[in-house]
Amino acid sequence: MRPVGSKYLLEEPLGRGATGTVWRARQRETAGAEAAVAGQPGETVAIKVLKEELASDPDIVMRFLRERSVLLRLTHPNIVRVRDLVVEGELLALVMDLVDGPDLHRYLRENGPFTPVAAALLTAQIADALAASHTDGVVHRDLKPANVLLKQTGGEMHPMLTDFGIARLADSPGLTRTHEFVGTPAYVAPESAEGRPQTSAVDVYGAGILLYELVTGRPPFGGGSALEVLHQHLSAEPRRPSTVPDPLWTVIERCLRKNPDERPSAENLARGLRVVAEGIGVHASSAQIGAAENVGALLAPDPAPAPVPDAPGAADPTQVLPQNPNGAYDPNGATSVLPHTGNPAGAADPTAVLPSRGAADPTAVMPPVPSGQPGGPGQGQGGQPGGPEDPHPWQNQLRAARDRNEQTQVQYLDPNEDPLRRRPQRQVARPQQPPRQAPQGPPPQQPGYGYPQQQQPQRYATPQPQQPQQPQHQRPQQPQRPQPQRYAPPPTPEPQPPRREPRPPRQRSANPMRIPGLGCLKGCLFTVVILFVAGWLVWELSPLQEWIGTGKGYWDQLSDWFGTVTGWIGDLGGDSGSGGGSTGGN
Ligand SMILES: Nc1ncnc2c1ncn2[C@@H]1O[C@H](COP(=O)(O)OP(=O)(O)OP(=O)(O)O)[C@@H](O)[C@H]1O
């Protein structure tokens, strides 16, 4: 265990970012008066040890010390509290409260997108934190899911914003003189990308990107290089996903305005999001629905946005690309404050939070942790042993929330298997077949959107013109059943089993009365006719007539034979009659 100053002992790494490594650490003794939180011996804390490149830069050390009071006074239920700053030789460290839970980037990657309601409520809490810091004159400037830690309090999800001040440190002339990029490309506001003056509106833009990512699984702007992404922030309009309900889209669209003056203040954003969450919820009243539909009126901009002090100018997009000879980057992976030495694997889909297929995960925010270490295989949250069968309580809570919003599945039912229509049928012995599996889950995802088990059918989506909307309160509520949808997306067409060909109409039977033996009699008559015709042909066409020497026709000959046979029969009858009489006469 490595000591940090005289008061802390580093125990194990929790994760590594672009600016340093975060450690689980233990307090050795009570901190001095300069610390915001004195702490108790034995208490567990998190310590971010800044990279040597930062710690060895005198400009950064000076800034770090000047920022001390700002960082230590930022307290809010949704901000990870900085307890102490340690400057010792070449070591620069922030002592923070330890948050036992995953960061939002990792959570999204492992669990997929949130429902619109959950995303709105979670982002509202982040907006609360931003509003508090903006009031204090502090702009975060690097808002992204990796900087939101998910803390569990009493079974509830509690987002905690962290890394306040780090972007400010990174923005010191010692780093920016190299024209390197400060921020994370996928979340950077257009004015930051262009090097224009920045205000607290950059955080609102970041919140809009984060909100978009929460409901869709990925940020709105992506690309193969940082330059491409920055250009999209400057000129492209975000594409609206079909699963985002109107009121929520209004909020996202306002946050993502290119003009910072048109974005709402963080405070108004938080308020607006709560109104939206109520109005698109399952039990929304008509008043709440109406309020959500008018959310645009609540999203007034900040009349006096907090400026970013003496920002020396952010990235020049044309300067970003040369930093990475491959043109590849990981916009969601880390704040780009230092030369990219990382691998270019992020090029393919650097922002996806979804389980990657195949190659290395380009979105990893943490380096792979060896088995046995916290976060590594075989470890549960917070370093406790765990596994897939031992989900974090966060996950249970979210899953339950998603399950509650699950949409009734419409499935194709073969009319022959419809118990209401099926007629009794004669049982025919058939080989046993496995029970037919009803198609489950969503249809296969597009590559890059691979989060099949988490992408829940959304309750809210763009109203479909062909389905007239009915006010929610008019519909029957059925407890314990999936709720009818107010903004239901059209059900994805289920794969239809091949339809059976209609049977050809049955031939009418020639023996509708089913007289016994009639079929046999028919066969006999038919055989007699065939024999008669065949005999006639043989008689007329073969030399048989001459051999027998009669010269008669077929019919005459037959009549003769018939007469002869009946004569024989008559004779036989006569003989037996006379023979019987003589016997009787004897
Ligand atoms: N206070 C904390 N408590 C518990 N874990 C933390 C805390 N702060 C950070 N971590 C963990 O450490 C990881 C790395 O944090 P860090 O802030 O360095 O990463 P990052 O935000 O991805 O990087 P950067 O912002 O520097 O680009 C986080 O993803 C989180 O898992």
Side-chain angles (χ1 to χ4, degrees), residues 14 17-20 22 46 48 80 97 99 103 144 146-147 149 163 334-335:
L14 292 172
T19 50
V22 177
K48 181 163 195 166
V80 178
D97 284 349
V99 177
D103 65 66
K144 59 180 177 179
N147 280 337
L149 302 177
D163 261 0
T335 310

Side-chain angles (χ1 to χ4, degrees), residues 524-538 554 558:
C524 290
L525 284 173
F526 188 68
T527 308
V528 168
V529 171
I530 292 286
L531 286 175
F532 178 82
V533 172
W536 174 73
L537 286 174
V538 170
Y554 180 60
L558 275 187

Side-chain angles (χ1 to χ4, degrees), residues 326-404:
N326 296 301
Y329 79 116
D330 180 356
N332 203 10
T335 310
S336 303
V337 293
L338 297 168
H340 282 281
T341 54
N343 74 57
D349 184 13
T351 61
V353 294
L354 311 162
S356 66
R357 298 180 182 125
D361 178 3
T363 66
V365 291
M366 294 203 302
V369 182
S371 179
Q373 287 208 17
Q379 292 286 327
Q381 297 294 337
Q384 298 305 312
E389 69 285 354
D390 182 20
H392 192 278
W394 279 106
Q395 298 176 0
N396 294 336
Q397 190 196 353
L398 265 189
R399 281 206 187 104
R402 287 181 173 132
D403 289 347
R404 278 197 296 279

Side-chain angles (χ1 to χ4, degrees), residues 235-485:
S235 54
E237 290 305 323
R239 206 174 50 81
R240 177 181 174 177
S242 61
T243 49
V244 177
D246 279 341
L248 194 61
W249 182 249
T250 302
V251 177
I252 294 175
E253 186 273 322
R254 290 285 282 274
C255 291
L256 296 185
R257 290 276 170 97
K258 309 290 182 204
N259 180 356
D261 298 339
E262 294 175 7
R263 294 175 208 145
S265 68
E267 194 185 347
N268 289 338
L269 172 60
R271 191 179 308 133
L273 281 170
R274 290 196 169 96
V275 168
V276 167
E278 279 176 357
I280 61 177
V282 174
H283 302 293
S285 64
S286 49
Q288 287 168 326
I289 293 170
E293 279 162 0
N294 290 324
V295 69
L298 298 176
L299 302 175
D302 198 337
V308 172
D310 60 12
D316 174 356
T318 59
Q319 302 272 353
V320 172
L321 199 56
Q323 299 304 326
N324 184 340
N326 296 301
Y329 79 116
D330 180 356
N332 203 10
T335 310
S336 303
V337 293
L338 297 168
H340 282 281
T341 54
N343 74 57
D349 184 13
T351 61
V353 294
L354 311 162
S356 66
R357 298 180 182 125
D361 178 3
T363 66
V365 291
M366 294 203 302
V369 182
S371 179
Q373 287 208 17
Q379 292 286 327
Q381 297 294 337
Q384 298 305 312
E389 69 285 354
D390 182 20
H392 192 278
W394 279 106
Q395 298 176 0
N396 294 336
Q397 190 196 353
L398 265 189
R399 281 206 187 104
R402 287 181 173 132
D403 289 347
R404 278 197 296 279
N405 278 333
E406 211 163 50
Q407 180 181 313
T408 308
Q409 296 230 347
V410 180
Q411 294 182 355
Y412 174 79
L413 179 62
D414 187 332
N416 294 317
E417 291 174 16
D418 183 344
L420 296 177
R421 294 194 200 169
R422 196 168 47 198
R423 292 215 208 111
Q425 284 178 356
R426 204 189 282 180
Q427 291 295 323
V428 180
R430 285 202 191 119
Q432 286 278 327
Q433 286 189 351
R436 189 179 156 136
Q437 289 278 335
Q440 286 184 353
Q445 302 289 331
Q446 295 294 323
Y449 282 87
Y451 35 85
Q453 83 284 13
Q454 288 297 331
Q455 174 67 64
Q456 301 295 332
Q458 300 287 342
R459 218 183 123 248
Y460 312 103
T462 317
Q464 300 299 311
Q466 70 273 24
Q467 294 173 347
Q469 298 293 317
Q470 208 180 0
Q472 197 171 29
H473 60 275
Q474 290 180 7
R475 288 192 302 274
Q477 296 283 331
Q478 294 191 1
Q480 308 299 326
R481 292 185 60 188
Q483 299 292 332
Q485 310 297 307

Side-chain angles (χ1 to χ4, degrees), residues 567-579:
W568 288 342
I569 293 169
D571 289 346
L572 281 174
D575 285 349
S576 62
S578 58

